[in-house]
Amino acid sequence: MSGDFLALAQPGVQQLSPYVPGKPVDELARELDIDPAKIVKLASNENPLGASPKALAAIREELAELTRYPDGNGFALKTLLAERCGVDLAQVTLGNGSNDILELVARAYLAPGLNAVFSEHAFAVYPIVTQAVGAEARVVPAKDWGHDLPAMLQAIDADTRVIFIANPNNPTGTWFSAEALDEFLQDVPAHVLVVLDEAYIEYAEGSDLPDGLDFLAAYPNLLVSRTFSKAYGLAALRVGYGLSTPTVADVLNRVRQPFNVNSLALAAACAALQDIDYLAESRRLNEAGMQQLEAGFRELGLAWIPSRGNFIAVDLGQVAAPVFQGLLREGVIVRPVANYGMPNHLRVTIGLPAENTRFLEALAKVLARG
Ligand SMILES: Cc1ncc(COP(=O)(O)O)c(C=O)c1O
């Protein structure tokens, strides 16, 4: 007799929908039977610049040591991050992508009978990590597509252990101010860990977005998570980090895999962190690309949600799925966000100028076909 291994999975897992990634270029190239080089992918908020040459050089150098385990403590990278972020080494947790940090938080602090609070239209990994450990996912309705922080406070109860907030949020691009964050943090009960997900923070420099690090000293229940996948251009390598009190970092360290960040990723992240020019160029390109896409949407008479990330959600004023399919046939991959409760939007990553142009032209063509 064989067991029903779906029914045997813990209830939270049975109810989970797996994460849906952006469609890979090679997959579409196979389906359309065209050269992958002809395809534009603006679907996963990746950096269109390609990796920093300094990161690539660091990887090449590190290749000679592939037979060795990586430094399980990530000393070199943690030291650089601690310096850069103005925190102690003991406050840094490294993750296999910042996704790993979110998962470590859930494994360490959530369990059946407990809950995590997060917003409608928030990053799809929050429900996954919450339900995977049998905890309740408490989704608070969004306000103007963004986080309704006062309503999120109301959703907290004695069993809440974690709140996930993203600034800016993915896939909406929405953000909240320093004042709003400070008020929120003041009111969150001390037993609730606030995970401030700043995966896109480097793109928001010089804007009205707060820097989560400014709040760490005042709020021991705050963890800031960041990543090398976006502005630092290393998505494939999977490196992210959490900044928190040493106590929280110690707890996360207890549940993490001993070698959760590989040696090539560690070396590349160290190099990327020091490549100031690359980061500046990433930001410049993103700002120009955002303006290009906004101008294009304006011309097409389309609305969009203003964004502080490296992506923008455009409102097609109709169900977006057929337009998404039409764009695929034009060799352009963007991201449908119906699974985020946004059936009329498409999320588009800011690309190189020529990629943005390809996308806008394809969009105009697909919309004109009706
Ligand atoms: C808001 C947000 N947080 C976290 C992540 C995780 O990124 P990574 O695991 O590559 O660091 C993403 C990736 O898209 C994101 O959009």
Side-chain angles (χ1 to χ4, degrees), residues 288-303:
M290 186 72 83
Q291 283 174 18
Q292 186 186 358
L293 289 190
E294 287 181 353
F297 295 152
R298 207 172 285 120
E299 218 165 282
L300 290 168
L302 297 173

Side-chain angles (χ1 to χ4, degrees), residues 14-98:
Q14 285 179 47
Q15 278 153 33
L16 268 180
S17 312
Y19 182 80
V20 184
K23 194 176 180 70
V25 168
D26 286 345
E27 187 178 304
L28 183 62
R30 278 196 304 276
E31 285 169 12
L32 295 182
D33 194 22
I34 60 169
D35 180 358
K38 296 214 168 80
I39 290 172
V40 169
K41 183 186 175 209
L42 303 173
S44 301
N45 300 346
E46 295 149 339
N47 193 322
L49 257 185
S52 146
K54 290 184 178 151
L56 294 176
I59 289 172
R60 262 181 239 114
E61 201 167 311
E62 194 60 37
L63 279 174
E65 296 298 323
L66 274 194
T67 188
R68 307 265 174 222
Y69 280 102
D71 172 4
N73 285 320
F75 179 78
L77 179 57
K78 276 191 188 173
T79 304
L80 283 176
L81 284 170
E83 237 170 66
R84 179 68 61 88
C85 299
V87 298
D88 285 344
L89 208 71
Q91 295 180 261
V92 185
T93 307
L94 297 182
N96 193 261
S98 58

Side-chain angles (χ1 to χ4, degrees), residues 24 34 44 67 79 120 136 185 201 210 225 235 240 246 259 274 288 300 319 351:
I34 60 169
S44 301
T67 188
T79 304
E120 181 189 17
E136 178 201 344
L185 289 170
I201 193 73
S225 68
F259 304 103
Q274 295 171 94
L300 290 168
V319 174

Side-chain angles (χ1 to χ4, degrees), residues 97-99 102 123 126 166 170 197 199-200 227 229-230 238-239:
S98 58
N99 197 119
L102 306 176
F123 186 42
Y126 306 157
N170 169 31
D197 181 342
Y200 301 94
T227 183
S229 298
K230 310 296 177 185
R238 319 300 304 123
V239 202

Side-chain angles (χ1 to χ4, degrees), residues 25 28 36-43 327 330-334 351-352 354-356 358-359:
V25 168
L28 183 62
K38 296 214 168 80
I39 290 172
V40 169
K41 183 186 175 209
L42 303 173
L327 287 169
E330 296 297 321
V332 176
I333 311 174
V334 296
L352 297 170
E355 294 176 320
N356 299 331
R358 262 285 302 281
F359 158 68

